[in-house]
Amino acid sequence: MIKAFAVHEPIGDLQPFEYDPGELMPDQVEIDVKYCGICHSDLSMIANEWGTTQYPLVPGHEVVGAIAKVGKNVKNLSVGQVVGLGWHAGYCNNCPQCTTGDQNLCATAQGTIVGHHGGFAEKVRAAANSVVPIPEGIDLEAAGPLFCGGITVFNPLVQYGIEPTSKVAVIGIGGLGHMAVQFLNAWGCEVTAFTSSEAKIQEALELGAHHTLNSRDPEAIAAAAGQFDLIISTVNVKLDWNHYLSTLKPRGRLHFVGATLDPLDINVFALIMQQRSISGSPVGSPATIAKMLEFAKLHHIQPKIETFKFADVNKAIARLKSGAAHYRIVLCH
């Protein structure tokens, strides 16, 4: 039996829970969980905001631990190896996306916490090809958030060929944004942080932003017209997106990684006349996650975290819900 923490209804607390994982499949590994980050996606799944939650739900998809068991067909991982597990715990391995290295776009990928028990547990299982070894030199306590939040903001740099000379802005300096600023600075970009918080201005600069702009100041936004090659939005609230479009250069891109649920109200002429684009992306493929980890190691990039014991998971959830977390929360055994 695997001991875990599960929620049984959308408004319930997490409670101790045990489940029988059954026989280890030939292509699977079992991970002894050492750390697990808490992501806003965990909150969304707990509350069934996306309509995909199956209860009881064991959340947790920012897992760091050591391989405890390997299936008979697993050749690339070994017992004792330190690894991470993110949003996906398996792929179909047959679709065009899987066979060309875009497993993160597989339409039938197995979510780690969608119809599957996640990492708020002593152990978690996953397909071996969804698990990524963690290089030596990475701080394991802080590594978990890289496997969801970190790869979410790193992936667009790879997918869209962002150049070191690009001028890039980040909307929101929070759980995602504070990592985006670090990655972009190390990538070589000129980085601007959009933030509505006076308290975060200095910290954004310390994280690697070269400039800050008050996102609630229409005059400041107007003064930035035509400046940016790329804007990454990490927030999950509705904003006046046309203001931000106006700050893009011709052929500039407004890219969403924050899951705002409101429809986008866009002036199409702002796209057409300057050949601008709007896009979005999820987490990255295992290969891109591995690349991100090497990049993070090389440039000493890591999330800012607060830690809680697994036994205090409900306090940790409440802390994240309050908006006071600075900036990611990690559960520790």
Side-chain angles (χ1 to χ4, degrees):
M1 301 293 286
I2 290 180
K3 294 181 179 179
F5 288 93
V7 62
H8 295 264
E9 57 184 352
I11 58 173
D13 287 340
L14 282 99
Q15 302 172 356
F17 174 71
E18 292 188 8
Y19 69 94
D20 183 353
E23 184 179 352
L24 187 69
M25 302 300 290
D27 66 339
Q28 284 187 323
V29 297
E30 184 172 276
I31 302 168
D32 280 335
V33 178
K34 188 169 180 62
Y35 305 104
C36 189
I38 306 179
C39 177
H40 270 280
S41 298
D42 291 307
L43 301 187
S44 296
M45 287 295 294
I46 288 170
N48 197 23
E49 290 177 359
W50 301 333
T52 58
T53 304
Q54 299 175 30
Y55 299 101
L57 167 71
V58 178
H61 59 278
E62 296 181 341
V63 177
V64 170
I67 300 289
K69 297 178 183 178
V70 298
K72 64 181 183 180
N73 292 342
V74 175
K75 307 300 182 185
N76 63 317
L77 298 170
S78 57
V79 171
Q81 194 168 6
V82 179
V83 297
L85 173 68
W87 181 253
H88 291 130
Y91 311 101
C92 81
N93 302 315
N94 296 310
C95 69
Q97 287 70 42
C98 284
T99 56
T100 56
D102 287 324
Q103 294 95 330
N104 56 310
L105 303 181
C106 173
T108 58
Q110 173 63 66
T112 300
I113 60 171
V114 183
H116 182 276
H117 289 317
F120 288 10
E122 291 183 340
K123 301 176 187 294
V124 65
R125 290 184 177 180
N129 66 350
S130 67
V131 172
V132 181
I134 299 177
E136 288 188 18
I138 296 279
D139 181 352
L140 298 182
E141 186 178 68
L146 292 173
F147 282 83
C148 185
I151 187 58
T152 295
V153 296
F154 182 84
N155 194 39
L157 308 187
V158 176
Q159 299 304 320
Y160 298 107
I162 303 306
E163 297 179 351
T165 53
S166 296
K167 294 185 176 182
V168 183
V170 178
I171 303 174
I173 307 304
L176 290 171
H178 90 283
M179 287 187 277
V181 168
Q182 293 181 73
F183 278 123
L184 288 163
N185 177 286
W187 203 260
C189 300
E190 183 177 332
V191 186
T192 297
F194 280 108
T195 179
S196 59
S197 170
E198 289 291 328
K200 289 185 178 179
I201 289 176
Q202 184 58 39
E203 186 157 20
L205 296 172
E206 291 171 357
L207 287 165
H210 301 96
H211 317 282
T212 63
L213 276 175
N214 187 337
S215 55
R216 292 181 177 172
D217 184 347
E219 292 184 3
I221 293 177
Q227 284 195 14
F228 304 120
D229 298 288
L230 172 71
I231 299 174
I232 299 177
S233 174
T234 70
V235 299
N236 60 359
V237 296
K238 184 175 183 177
L239 299 176
D240 187 340
W241 303 114
N242 291 304
H243 277 321
Y244 293 97
L245 280 177
S246 71
T247 68
L248 289 172
K249 293 180 181 180
R251 296 189 176 88
R253 178 183 298 274
L254 173 58
H255 188 77
F256 289 89
V257 295
T260 177
L261 300 181
D262 293 297
L264 302 182
D265 182 9
I266 296 296
N267 178 352
V268 173
F269 276 103
L271 301 179
I272 293 174
M273 301 307 292
Q274 295 290 293
Q275 204 169 316
R276 295 164 172 147
S277 303
I278 294 175
S279 54
S281 63
V283 295
S285 68
T288 306
I289 294 173
K291 182 180 294 186
M292 173 204 64
L293 292 172
E294 290 292 346
F295 188 83
K297 174 186 173 180
L298 180 64
H299 294 281
H300 309 291
I301 295 168
Q302 69 179 47
K304 290 184 176 292
I305 64 166
E306 300 176 3
T307 58
F308 287 76
K309 292 293 186 182
F310 270 87
D312 296 322
V313 62
N314 289 306
K315 292 181 181 178
I317 292 285
R319 173 76 170 168
L320 185 57
K321 285 182 177 178
S322 75
H326 188 228
Y327 284 103
R328 308 288 295 200
I329 291 178
V330 175
L331 299 174
C332 309
H333 276 301

